[in-house]
């Protein structure tokens, strides 16, 4: 099969496209193995929060803070929500593989699925992009580190895009089911659904509805309430479990104090980060996030820009650390940046993709060395 025929098949056939995405992800995985050098790939990709997830998969949630572990003194693993470690534990038990391998396998499976779903999400909005370049962009984007590491980003990102696609197609009950799951996926799961539900109510009631009536308002309110209730049920399940286990249902929030994270205004967080040498990179990331959000508003991506502004504000309210993970690795931001890149002239596209490949390799090396630039 010649190259033109293959390209035509990828552009016109969804199965060919998905297989192409999987092939790219396999190549990227090979790159990770090469850059890991003498270490196993599971050890190299396991950084920062990975150790907490592995502890949960191996031992479950702790009943009290770690009083006898000097590296984690007075800390607890309750801040890490249960859906991702539960899936990893299921793989670990069913396939008899080590916990780290099970955790990585979850994201190895979800990453190509998420890329495909992101393209579908844009297509449903009548945004057509070169499929080959779109897949390449996602695979070499420097801030996709957490989708090929033992982190919950793959689970959260896949659920988020699934919910948006299902709401676009008016599959409300299925969307509510995945809202329940995303409430169990991470602390921002519930608030993500709350924002989506509020936006959905506003759009359907005041923008798209030509005949505004109390009946229509009530129907839209029911739909939004269903989504919030489903996500709240997922969150409540975890809260009840923690209450049973520790006596503190909101231990996932209270334990943040052990990492010296507390609410403060954004300018104050900037000042604190600038004072700390190992926090200054997050100031740079934050400025870049604000620039990207500005461009999203300018391009009239109002929902995505508003949603990401909300998430970024929540994430930065207790410190700028991890702002690059919460914002720049979000699939909605990656969709926008892919569109921005692939809207450029062909020559400029190639230069941007080449630069992204170099930055991708640099980011992997930084990640593998456990530098605090990415957490």
């Amino acid at each position: 099969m010649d190259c033109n025929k293959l390209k035509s098949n990828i552009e016109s056939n969804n199965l060919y496209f998905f297989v192409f995405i999987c092939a790219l992800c396999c190549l990227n995985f090979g790159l990770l193995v090469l850059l890991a050098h003498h270490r196993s790939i599971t050890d190299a990709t396991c950084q920062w929060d990975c150790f907490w997830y592995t502890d949960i998969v191996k031992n479950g949630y702790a009943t009290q803070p770690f009083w006898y572990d000097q590296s984690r003194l007075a800390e607890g693993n309750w801040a890490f929500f249960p859906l991702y470690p539960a899936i990893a534990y299921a793989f670990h038990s069913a396939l008899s593989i080590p916990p780290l391998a099970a955790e990585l396998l979850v994201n190895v499976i979800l990453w190509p699925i998420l890329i495909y779903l992101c393209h579908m999400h844009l297509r449903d909005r009548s945004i057509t992009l070169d499929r080959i370049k779109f897949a390449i962009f996602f695979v070499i984007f420097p801030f996709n580190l957490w989708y090929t590491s033992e982190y919950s980003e793959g689970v959260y990102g896949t659920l988020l895009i699934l919910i948006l696609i299902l709401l676009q197609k008016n599959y409300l009950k299925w969307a509510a089911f995945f809202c329940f799951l995303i409430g169990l996926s991470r602390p921002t799961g519930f608030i993500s659904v709350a924002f989506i539900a509020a936006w959905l109510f506003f759009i359907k009631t005041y923008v798209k509805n030509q005949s505004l009536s109390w009946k229509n308002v009530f129907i839209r309110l029911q739909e939004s309430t269903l989504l919030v209730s489903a996500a709240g049920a997922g969150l409540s399940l975890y809260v009840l479990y923690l209450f049973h286990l520790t006596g503190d249902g909101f231990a996932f929030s209270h334990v943040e104090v052990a990492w010296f994270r507390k609410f403060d205004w954004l300018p104050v967080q900037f000042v604190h980060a600038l004072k700390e040498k190992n926090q200054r990179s997050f100031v740079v990331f934050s400025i870049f996030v604000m620039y990207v959000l500005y461009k999203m508003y300018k391009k009239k991506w109002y929902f995505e820009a508003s949603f990401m502004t909300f998430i970024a504000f929540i994430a930065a309210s207790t410190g700028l650390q991890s702002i690059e993970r919460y914002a720049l690795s979000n699939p909605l931001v990656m969709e926008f940046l892919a569109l921005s890149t692939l809207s450029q002239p062909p020559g400029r596209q190639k230069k941007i993709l080449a630069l992204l490949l170099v930055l991708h390799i640099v980011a992997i090396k930084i990640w593998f060395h456990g530098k605090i630039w990415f957490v």
Side-chain angles (χ1 to χ4, degrees), residues 153 186 188 308 311 315 322-330:
E153 255 60 32
R186 64 192 304 173
T188 52
M308 288 312 308
I311 295 298
S322 298
I323 188 67
E324 79 291 355
R325 176 161 58 88
Y326 280 103
L328 297 176
S329 77
N330 189 286

Side-chain angles (χ1 to χ4, degrees), residues 31-80:
L31 175 64
L32 293 171
V33 172
L34 286 174
L35 294 176
H37 294 305
H38 60 280
R39 290 186 291 172
S40 69
I41 185 63
T42 53
D43 287 338
T45 54
C46 186
Q47 305 291 339
W48 302 104
D49 291 356
C50 162
F51 298 106
W52 290 102
Y53 285 120
T54 304
D55 181 59
I56 295 168
V57 174
K58 286 180 177 179
N59 308 309
Y61 285 97
T63 57
Q64 57 183 335
F66 298 108
W67 301 119
Y68 305 104
D69 187 339
Q70 291 301 315
S71 63
R72 301 184 293 179
L73 191 61
E75 296 177 1
N77 54 17
W78 312 302
F80 303 93

